[in-house]
Amino acid sequence: MTKKLIVATSNSGKLKEMQDYLQDLDWQLELQPKELEIEETGTTFLENACLKASAVAKALNLWAIADDSGLAIEALNGSPGVYSARYGKTNEERINRVLKELENNPNRKAKFMCVIAISNPQGDIMLTTEGTCEGEILTEIKGEGGFGYDPIFYLPEKSQTFAQMSLAEKQKISHRGKAFQALIPQLKNLKI
Ligand code: IMP
């Protein structure tokens, strides 16, 4: 039996990405209605993922999935963190702000984090998983692919930034990839 799972976002790019990760499962993913925009008022990725999944599930009385992700830079005490999407108006502004705040700081350690939450139709969180990907912040951009902070996020073991990798390569090692890899077996076992 195919079950409906509402993706708590109005971003069709996110829907496509999730459909791709969950293609072998018998869940049919659909975007939430546009008018149901949920504010991300949490102070952690977990809080934001849970509040989005729960609010959308309750409003529609259907199962819902949400993710929340961002970049945490050690020398900036974890910033931009949950504010990653709001750290500037454009990708360029956000990247420049990070580079300016880090200046010549020798500590370039950073990690991307992603939390996924699944809510039942009553708004109870039934599953959460997380994934992290550790790397370093370069002093200037490198690479043309990807999105967001990808051109300054460097993986020493790959000698590449996320923006220099193919999507398939990135998905194998990224925070989001890892969170979905952890989610799939649990979602298969979920009793509904
Ligand atoms: P979300 O849609 O609320 O999860 O926002 C996450 C924000 O974190 C995005 O807008 C990006 O700025 C940043 N981010 C999350 N994952 C990635 C990634 O894989 N590459 C680059 N930036 C990312």
Side-chain angles (χ1 to χ4, degrees):
M1 185 193 70
T2 304
K3 301 151 279 186
K4 208 185 263 197
L5 185 60
I6 306 298
V7 182
T9 182
S10 42
N11 177 343
S12 55
K14 205 168 241 187
L15 171 71
K16 275 212 188 90
E17 197 184 359
M18 287 202 187
Q19 279 171 330
D20 194 40
Y21 279 121
L22 302 178
Q23 57 184 308
D24 296 333
L25 278 70
D26 52 358
W27 287 91
Q28 184 192 334
L29 272 63
E30 280 181 22
L31 273 187
Q32 69 167 63
K34 270 209 175 61
E35 61 276 10
L36 209 74
E37 204 57 67
I38 313 295
E39 238 197 297
E40 298 185 10
T41 52
T43 55
T44 62
F45 298 114
L46 180 64
E47 251 183 276
N48 278 336
C50 291
L51 73 84
K52 284 188 281 186
S54 180
V56 167
K58 264 200 286 197
L60 302 173
N61 198 29
L62 289 167
W63 285 80
I65 181 170
D67 78 345
D68 198 46
S69 61
L71 178 65
I73 300 175
E74 190 174 275
L76 302 180
N77 300 315
S79 286
V82 291
Y83 303 104
S84 293
R86 296 165 269 176
Y87 221 49
K89 285 197 219 83
T90 60
N91 278 332
E92 195 185 353
E93 257 185 50
R94 291 186 275 271
I95 285 179
N96 286 337
R97 179 166 171 195
V98 161
L99 294 181
K100 191 157 175 260
E101 286 176 352
L102 267 179
E103 286 188 312
N104 298 322
N105 195 318
N107 178 6
R108 315 297 296 188
K109 275 194 207 160
K111 59 183 173 191
F112 270 120
M113 301 173 71
C114 175
V115 174
I116 303 171
I118 293 199
S119 170
N120 70 11
Q122 291 72 46
D124 308 312
I125 299 298
M126 304 306 285
L127 255 184
T128 63
T129 62
E130 67 167 69
T132 60
C133 181
E134 298 191 4
E136 292 167 9
I137 302 298
L138 295 181
T139 51
E140 54 187 32
I141 61 169
K142 215 178 223 175
E144 253 120 60
F147 72 100
Y149 299 92
D150 281 352
I152 53 168
F153 190 76
Y154 181 76
L155 292 119
E157 69 277 16
K158 299 276 174 195
S159 306
Q160 277 181 323
T161 64
F162 264 172
Q164 292 176 300
M165 288 181 188
S166 68
L167 182 61
E169 234 180 320
K170 181 183 164 187
Q171 285 183 342
K172 266 189 238 155
I173 57 162
S174 77
H175 46 307
R176 200 166 295 101
K178 288 178 186 162
F180 273 99
Q181 283 154 29
L183 181 77
I184 290 165
Q186 297 190 51
L187 196 50
K188 281 183 180 163
N189 285 334
L190 194 66
K191 303 271 174 286
I192 69 161

